[in-house]
């Protein structure tokens, strides 16, 4: 189910710059019992992304209303996914942006993926992809629509025994999964990749970092190699739909689900419950 | 005027992966007196791009028929532009590609830009952009739909005195213009950027390289810095719509329009006339 600029539609203007140049960004939001989870955080990232891409920030009250309207079609007692795409709208041929920019917004409601509980509990199996993420400081961190590298990486495997592919960038640093951010724990310290040259700064990645600061747990953002990852005590993935998944295996190398992963999973669930209670102050 | 999968349309499927991920590629083709220019070369690049992105190559006879049909709406005695977009088609949420892939094709006819003759004759003014092209060997050379860097670069200037912005990549090498490839001449040798880490391998860039080999003129593809460019005897730009434009100025640094630029312009015009005569063997 799609809402295109506020109206139900299955089609979209063929002159939109989202199609022609990937000129825009997106958010993927968990819907739990017809309510958006961590909406304020998603909106904050959307704003930051728009500013970096010089896109007008959409009216967030309007967006929240449209999300609420889509939520009415979501399961009353279960979960769903809402995706928001914001593009630079319709423009002529050529990279030069139209003036003024009339951005487009496309909201869609999707079923929640049927991941088994074991992914949360016993963890998942990951592999290193051959595809390398590019290095582009101008775009690093933004959840933009230029996602060909992720598409190529995700096409590297089709077996259902592997749940996620891990990506190095062209510098040789481990950055993230195709659809998730990656953390590891070593000697009680939590590590994750610096996203100044590659990668997407996920909303749940931000929450995990915030949780680490509150505990306090020592958290380090840095450039690291596959060797550092494979020497870790614990490894886990994050995104807005999966929450935290422990990684129990990377290319046959086995990890235990550790206490810090369990602790952060439980803290994240707590945050989510709190988020539901207090609602979303825009 | 748009043809979406063969039918006139102003809209396309909102679930198309071209919109969601920039998952596809494009060609921009000059139409001269209702005939596509260098169509065989455009089709060859389209095939190469599809192979690298693991997209099924579209039926080229069908594409040629659709181009011919759009050409009927182009000026009988003038020029126009046809853009072809090929995407991985409609798919569910997530990077994993649908199986089988049903690619989408979007063809559109546009007016020819009203560039003054002086751009061909006296040359144009260019500037270096602040935006750096990313480094992504997996995507380098392909005319794919992930074009946010070009959009950001093109937004750096709006004065009409500047016709093109020149882009370095994050390695610090000069790669190309926002919409064109870049060549320079020094001591009788023609130089252009290696496109193994960044950039788009333009069809006219390929023809210029071919012309150099035939003359023969020494041609070098290499990594080079702005200093090497500014020390050049001649500088010119190429793309399928502009042909070759001499560069007479980069950020105030002045160049003469040299004999090799003139020679290659004339050779390219000759190739174009020949292309029109022999038609397009697919």
């Amino acid at each position: 189910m799609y809402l295109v600029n506020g109206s139900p539609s299955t089609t979209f203007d063929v002159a939109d710059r989202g199609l022609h140049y990937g000129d825009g960004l997106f958010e993927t939001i968990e819907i739990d019992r017809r309510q958006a989870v961590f909406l304020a955080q998603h909106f904050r990232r959307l704003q930051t992304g728009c500013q970096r891409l010089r896109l007008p920030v959409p009216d967030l009250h309007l967006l929240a209303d449209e999300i609420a309207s889509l939520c009415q079609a979501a399961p009353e007692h279960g979960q769903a996914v809402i995706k928001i795409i914001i593009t630079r709208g319709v423009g002529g041929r050529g990279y030069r942006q139209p003036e003024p920019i009339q951005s487009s917004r496309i909201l869609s409601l999707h079923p929640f993926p049927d991941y088994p509980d074991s992914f949360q509990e016993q963890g998942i199996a990951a592999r290193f992809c051959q595809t390398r993420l590019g290095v582009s400081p101008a775009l690093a961190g933004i959840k933009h629509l230029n996602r060909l590298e992720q598409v190529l990486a995700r096409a590297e495997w089709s077996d259902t025994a592997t749940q996620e592919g891990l990506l190095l960038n062209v510098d040789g640093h481990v950055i993230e999964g195709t659809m998730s951010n990656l953390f590891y724990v070593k000697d009680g310290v939590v590590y994750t990749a610096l996203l100044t040259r590659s990668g997407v700064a996920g909303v749940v990645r931000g929450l995990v970092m915030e949780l680490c600061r509150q505990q306090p747990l020592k958290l380090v953002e840095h450039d690291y190699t596959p060797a550092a990852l494979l020497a870790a005590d614990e490894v886990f993935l994050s995104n807005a739909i999966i929450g935290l998944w422990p990684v129990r295996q990377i290319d046959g190398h086995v990890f235990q689900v550790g206490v810090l992963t369990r602790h952060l999973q439980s803290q994240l669930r707590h945050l989510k419950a709190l988020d539901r209670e207090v609602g979303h102050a825009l």
Side-chain angles (χ1 to χ4, degrees), chain A:
Chain A
M1 184 180 177
Y2 278 86
L3 280 184
V4 176
N5 295 321
S7 306
S9 179
T10 56
T11 63
F12 196 61
D13 194 313
V14 72
D16 194 279
R17 294 171 64 95
L19 170 67
H20 288 252
Y21 307 122
D23 192 2
L25 33 71
F26 70 110
E27 292 290 328
T28 307
I29 303 173
E30 179 189 346
I31 304 301
D32 184 18
R33 289 160 287 161
R34 297 192 172 162
Q35 194 174 304
V37 178
F38 299 134
L39 187 61
Q41 287 83 350
H42 282 287
F43 277 0
R44 208 136 57 216
R45 180 176 58 177
L46 191 63
Q47 284 175 289
T48 310
C50 285
Q51 281 151 8
R52 286 188 58 195
L53 296 182
R54 306 178 198 191
L55 267 167
V57 176
D59 180 333
L60 298 180
H61 291 283
L62 181 66
L63 268 190
D65 286 348
E66 293 181 359
I67 290 169
S69 122
L70 273 184
C71 279
Q72 293 315 304
E76 192 176 347
H77 303 290
Q79 290 161 289
V81 175
I82 282 181
K83 182 171 176 177
I84 304 174
I85 296 178
I86 305 291
T87 78
R88 210 178 303 270
V90 171
R93 205 184 56 78
Y95 296 120
R96 186 170 181 179
Q97 58 185 26
E99 278 180 43
I101 299 165
Q102 299 264 25
S103 63
S104 303
R105 58 187 195 286
I106 299 124
L107 280 76
S108 50
L109 178 69
H110 305 265
F112 201 80
D114 57 345
Y115 300 129
D117 292 340
S118 66
F119 290 177
Q120 285 270 346
E121 287 155 19
Q122 284 95 54
I124 62 98
R127 55 181 279 165
F128 282 110
C129 292
Q130 296 293 314
T131 305
R132 294 284 181 109
L133 287 175
V135 165
S136 178
L139 300 178
I142 306 173
K143 201 170 172 73
H144 56 68
L145 296 176
N146 283 194
R147 292 291 156 216
L148 268 171
E149 290 168 345
Q150 280 76 12
V151 171
L152 291 180
R154 185 59 190 84
E156 289 187 32
W157 82 96
S158 56
D159 66 287
T160 51
T162 304
Q163 280 77 49
E164 179 61 308
L166 307 181
L167 288 158
L168 278 64
N169 71 359
V170 293
D171 295 335
H173 299 130
V174 182
I175 303 296
E176 61 195 8
T178 63
M179 60 164 192
S180 60
N181 289 117
L182 181 64
F183 290 82
Y184 72 92
V185 179
K186 181 72 180 175
D187 299 328
V189 179
V190 181
Y191 296 88
T192 194
L194 260 177
L195 302 183
T196 49
R197 288 170 62 79
S198 310
V200 178
V203 156
V204 174
R205 174 181 182 271
L207 290 169
V208 169
M209 291 168 68
E210 189 60 35
L211 284 172
C212 287
R213 285 186 204 103
Q214 284 169 11
Q215 298 300 304
L217 272 171
K218 192 169 177 202
L219 171 88
V220 178
E221 279 179 278
H222 71 152
D223 291 329
Y224 66 92
T225 62
L229 182 67
L230 295 178
D233 303 323
E234 309 177 27
V235 179
F236 61 90
L237 299 169
S238 69
N239 86 19
I241 305 306
I242 68 178
L244 297 193
W245 279 352
V247 175
R248 59 172 169 73
Q249 210 203 89
I250 302 174
D251 286 330
H253 188 105
V254 174
F255 300 90
Q256 302 305 316
V257 183
V259 289
L260 283 186
T261 304
R262 286 292 182 232
H263 179 66
L264 288 165
Q265 277 185 321
S266 125
Q267 292 291 306
L268 186 68
R269 271 192 290 268
H270 181 69
L271 263 193
K272 191 177 146 180
L274 206 66
D275 177 79
R276 185 174 178 87
E277 252 172 56
V278 302
H280 311 292
L282 298 183

